[in-house]
Amino acid sequence: MSLEEKAGQMFQQVLLMRPGGVIDTGNPDANRLPTESMIKDRYISHYNLAGGNEEGLVMAGFMNHLQELALETRLGIPITISTDPRNSFTENFGTGFSAGTFSEWPEVAGLAALRDPELVFKYAEIIREEYLAVGIRSALHPTVDVSTEPRWARNKGTMGEDAHLIAELVVPMLKGLQGDVLGPRSLTTVTKHFPGGGAMQDGEDAHFWYGKNATYPGDNFDYHLIPFRAAFEAGARQIMPYYSRPIDTEYEEVGWAFNKAVITDLLREEMGFRGIVVADWGIISNQSMGDPEPAPARAWGVEHLSRPQRLLKALEAGVDQFGGEHVTDILIDLVKSGIVPETRIDRSVRAILREKFILGLFEQPFVDVEAAQRIVGNDYFRRVGAETQRRSYTLLTNKENILPLRRADMDAKFYIEGFNKTYMELRNLTVVETPQEADVALLKFEAPSYPRSGAFEKSFNTGPLNFTMTEQERQAAIYAAVPTIVDVWLSRPAVIPEVFERAAAVMGSYGSSPEAFLDLVFGDAKPEGKLPFDLPSSMEDVENQFEDVPFDTENPVFRFGHGLSYENVPCKNRCAKR
């Protein structure tokens, strides 16, 4: 291989699929190269598919087109496509995608709420089948961060607050995604975010300069390593360090991907990890994130370094591949100038190419377009995902056993918020305009957050976990006017004691459809979930807790593991059925 061909393997750039499966022609203003140029001129053969949840045949056809372009290069190195999670209801385009045509599940917090390793394995197997069908061969998951900081924006993508539960569930997750032995019917996995992203100072997120710090006031660093140890024992193939930099620890105060003591000494030597280290997206170069000005590179702690110096420091730390970057020219210059030995590049490229060979991409890079159309989002996959949405609900309160509503309640008048009345009309239910006209109110809302104004920042849940006084008073008027059933999406551990006190019933969900909510309300399904984290009683308690310590807020309203059921609830006149 030429140096240029080797350099191309060490970058994994974002790949846009235009509507209808059209190849992206680039955008100079956003520093985005044409896809064909990245493949043929920079020899990049790893891509992170952004968006594009179109029907299976369109996605499969697009992937085959990419592989055809790759075969036109001198060595014909096949393309490896990766993706962030895309089988749940997340709308955060920085960390995942809505399910679209794929099977729709709750976020993984919902799987943690069910504490069912066999279900986790089935979930991962179904994802594997859907990814394989369209040509995706690398999962940028599982996420095994421990959500010890309730305010952290990425809590909804974690499996909760208990590192030991996460360690138990990551094993079947990896087995389902990778298979018993990695091969042509496997996904390679990227377990993240090493050494744990949950201990964020004040709950801010390291995508942004104001959230760059990871802090361990409870001296609880090792607790966050527990799920990674389990993942490595289960055969995790790749890992991704987080953006954050540690403060007030034994480690250098630089982002984890620049931290040799963490990547080489801790990860590789002490913990024995032998796989590939993929840096998170955009740690070298400024990135266009939809705002007029590019976002600064997430080079926390090394902002003062030039791009070549950042690249060098990450290589010396032990990074094998750089996400969201295409600066092959910088790497080539570092080697040609003698700053980076070509043997250092060879070590990473050898591991990266070996993964392609093991996955069988050299033998069979193409996928069956017609099969993809049959497999992606098929009836069985969708049914299991929909059932899991319903089962994962956590029944938090149920005053006077108001739930499930009885058949006689089908004739009631309903006031609703948070979902379209079409869902009610399909069940022949009557919707009214005000709480005062209603017999029952149904509210569906997300845990409170106060997103900032930036285009990318808007997609992150930030700020206090409680509602403003104005919103609390508005809701209180509804609770006072009519018995109210609430579905709160626990994207973060909500601080809503007033809702628990005043609403007739409250259910916690982890990413679910209005149909799932209504099935629970009318007894067509039963809630089985148990909280995967504590629900604090006040923001004062949240602010006083240590960011790195689990179960560290005083007197939570509900503790980890809380969850009621319908088992002992009498259904007078039989529970309503559609």
Side-chain angles (χ1 to χ4, degrees):
M1 295 177 71
S2 68
L3 175 58
E4 290 75 13
E5 289 164 336
K6 293 177 185 178
Q9 307 312 306
M10 295 187 67
F11 295 89
Q12 181 171 170
Q13 186 54 285
V14 174
L15 179 70
L16 295 182
M17 182 177 79
R18 293 300 181 187
V22 175
I23 295 286
D24 181 43
T25 56
N27 182 346
D29 294 336
N31 192 30
R32 198 173 72 246
L33 298 177
T35 296
E36 188 166 352
S37 174
M38 287 195 289
I39 294 172
K40 293 184 174 181
D41 300 331
R42 303 216 176 201
Y43 306 108
I44 296 174
S45 70
H46 296 78
Y47 295 93
N48 170 212
L49 182 65
N53 270 4
E54 299 208 29
E55 57 184 333
L57 65 88
V58 173
M59 294 187 73
F62 174 78
M63 303 299 187
N64 284 345
H65 187 186
L66 295 178
Q67 300 293 5
E68 289 167 355
L69 292 175
L71 284 176
E72 295 173 9
T73 62
R74 186 178 75 92
L75 297 178
I77 296 174
I79 302 295
T80 303
I81 296 293
S82 70
T83 183
D84 286 291
R86 56 175 64 237
N87 285 74
S88 62
F89 280 81
T90 182
E91 297 295 343
N92 183 340
F93 68 89
T95 61
F97 307 98
S98 58
T101 58
F102 286 69
S103 58
E104 296 180 330
W105 300 71
E107 295 276 6
V108 291
L111 299 179
L114 286 167
R115 292 148 166 78
D116 183 346
E118 291 185 5
L119 176 63
V120 171
F121 179 77
K122 180 182 290 187
Y123 161 84
E125 272 200 317
I126 288 174
I127 286 175
R128 171 157 56 109
E129 291 302 317
E130 292 189 312
Y131 284 9
L132 288 173
V134 298
I136 295 170
R137 299 306 305 274
S138 175
L140 297 178
H141 46 108
T143 298
V144 297
D145 300 311
V146 187
S147 58
T148 52
E149 168 48 73
R151 292 168 290 183
W152 188 37
R154 301 190 72 174
N155 276 337
K156 65 183 178 182
T158 75
M159 289 185 276
E161 195 170 1
D162 186 336
H164 299 283
L165 174 62
I166 299 170
E168 179 185 356
L169 297 180
V170 73
V171 174
M173 182 82 74
L174 286 167
K175 294 297 184 185
L177 293 170
Q178 295 180 175
D180 291 331
V181 178
L182 202 75
R185 295 298 301 169
S186 299
L187 303 176
T188 185
T189 57
V190 182
T191 304
K192 57 189 187 183
H193 303 84
F194 192 80
M200 301 307 304
Q201 187 176 42
D202 298 327
E204 296 289 3
D205 186 71
H207 277 85
F208 313 106
W209 65 267
Y210 49 76
K212 67 177 70 173
N213 294 332
T215 183
Y216 301 88
D219 194 25
N220 211 32
F221 180 87
D222 287 348
Y223 183 77
H224 294 259
L225 295 178
I226 291 172
F228 289 98
R229 294 187 189 279
F232 299 158
E233 289 180 8
R237 302 294 301 184
Q238 306 183 45
I239 70 102
M240 179 182 292
Y242 205 38
Y243 295 122
S244 50
R245 64 169 192 170
I247 59 172
D248 300 325
T249 71
E250 63 183 280
Y251 298 109
E252 183 182 5
E253 293 189 352
V254 298
W256 296 121
F258 301 103
N259 208 307
K260 185 176 182 179
V262 170
I263 301 303
T264 295
D265 298 346
L266 173 62
L267 174 66
R268 292 208 182 276
E269 295 182 7
E270 181 182 329
M271 300 181 73
F273 181 70
R274 296 292 178 261
I276 297 165
V277 177
V278 184
D280 211 337
W281 273 219
I283 68 166
I284 305 299
S285 310
N286 295 348
Q287 303 280 311
S288 174
M289 305 305 297
D291 293 305
E293 295 297 322
R298 291 138 192 160
W300 311 136
V302 296
E303 295 95 331
H304 61 287
L305 297 182
S306 66
R307 291 197 297 167
Q309 290 170 327
R310 294 172 187 171
L311 193 67
L312 174 63
K313 188 168 180 65
L315 287 170
E316 291 176 340
V319 168
D320 295 302
Q321 192 176 68
F322 295 86
E325 303 277 357
H326 54 248
V327 289
T328 54
D329 53 334
I330 294 178
L331 179 57
I332 291 166
D333 287 344
L334 287 172
V335 175
K336 286 184 174 180
S337 63
I339 297 173
V340 174
E342 191 163 351
T343 53
R344 167 64 186 88
I345 305 303
D346 291 346
R347 187 174 74 233
S348 292
V349 172
R350 189 174 291 113
I352 290 165
L353 289 178
R354 184 186 301 119
E355 204 78 353
K356 286 184 188 284
F357 275 108
I358 293 172
L359 292 173
L361 280 165
F362 279 90
E363 290 77 16
Q364 183 50 267
F366 299 104
V367 294
D368 184 330
V369 174
E370 293 183 0
Q373 185 70 1
R374 294 193 305 270
I375 293 169
V376 172
N378 67 55
D379 290 345
Y380 171 69
F381 290 174
R382 284 188 170 274
R383 177 169 60 81
V384 178
E387 287 175 354
T388 305
Q389 287 180 43
R390 288 150 175 79
R391 291 180 58 206
S392 66
Y393 265 87
T394 301
L395 183 60
L396 298 167
T397 66
N398 191 17
K399 296 175 184 176
E400 298 181 2
N401 290 334
I402 187 173
L403 290 176
L405 295 184
R406 296 163 295 183
R407 180 173 294 279
D409 295 316
M410 300 290 279
D411 295 326
K413 296 177 180 178
F414 293 89
Y415 172 77
I416 67 170
E417 287 185 3
F419 61 102
N420 193 290
K421 68 178 182 179
T422 302
Y423 293 102
M424 302 291 284
E425 292 170 347
L426 289 172
R427 296 170 183 251
N428 296 315
L429 299 172
T430 302
V431 177
V432 294
E433 296 297 320
T434 67
Q436 290 73 22
E437 301 172 77
D439 300 303
V440 180
L442 304 177
L443 308 186
K444 185 175 174 62
F445 56 72
E446 187 173 359
S449 68
Y450 301 82
R452 295 176 172 90
S453 58
F456 186 57
E457 290 171 284
K458 286 179 180 177
S459 58
F460 283 76
N461 303 76
T462 57
L465 294 161
N466 57 345
F467 287 116
T468 64
M469 286 306 300
T470 299
E471 175 60 15
Q472 289 186 35
E473 291 169 359
R474 189 193 73 81
Q475 289 185 23
I478 299 173
Y479 304 142
V482 62
T484 304
I485 298 164
V486 173
D487 170 357
V488 55
W489 178 20
L490 295 173
S491 52
R492 299 189 297 167
V495 178
I496 51 173
E498 75 286 351
V499 177
F500 300 129
E501 179 183 347
R502 296 167 181 167
V506 182
M507 293 187 282
S509 60
Y510 309 94
S512 63
S513 66
E515 295 103 320
F517 174 42
L518 293 176
D519 277 354
L520 269 292
V521 167
F522 293 108
D524 294 331
K526 295 179 180 180
E528 300 177 35
K530 307 296 182 184
L531 281 175
F533 37 64
D534 286 352
L535 293 184
S537 56
S538 72
M539 278 306 300
E540 181 181 6
D541 288 345
V542 171
E543 291 159 2
N544 289 337
Q545 54 94 49
F546 287 162
E547 288 93 335
D548 59 323
V549 177
F551 315 116
D552 192 38
T553 60
E554 291 191 11
N555 304 313
V557 180
F558 296 114
R559 294 192 179 277
F560 172 90
H562 172 76
L564 307 176
S565 73
Y566 285 172
E567 296 303 323
N568 299 316
V569 176
C571 287
K572 299 175 182 178
N573 303 321
R574 301 186 62 182
C575 295
K577 295 289 183 182
R578 276 183 290 169

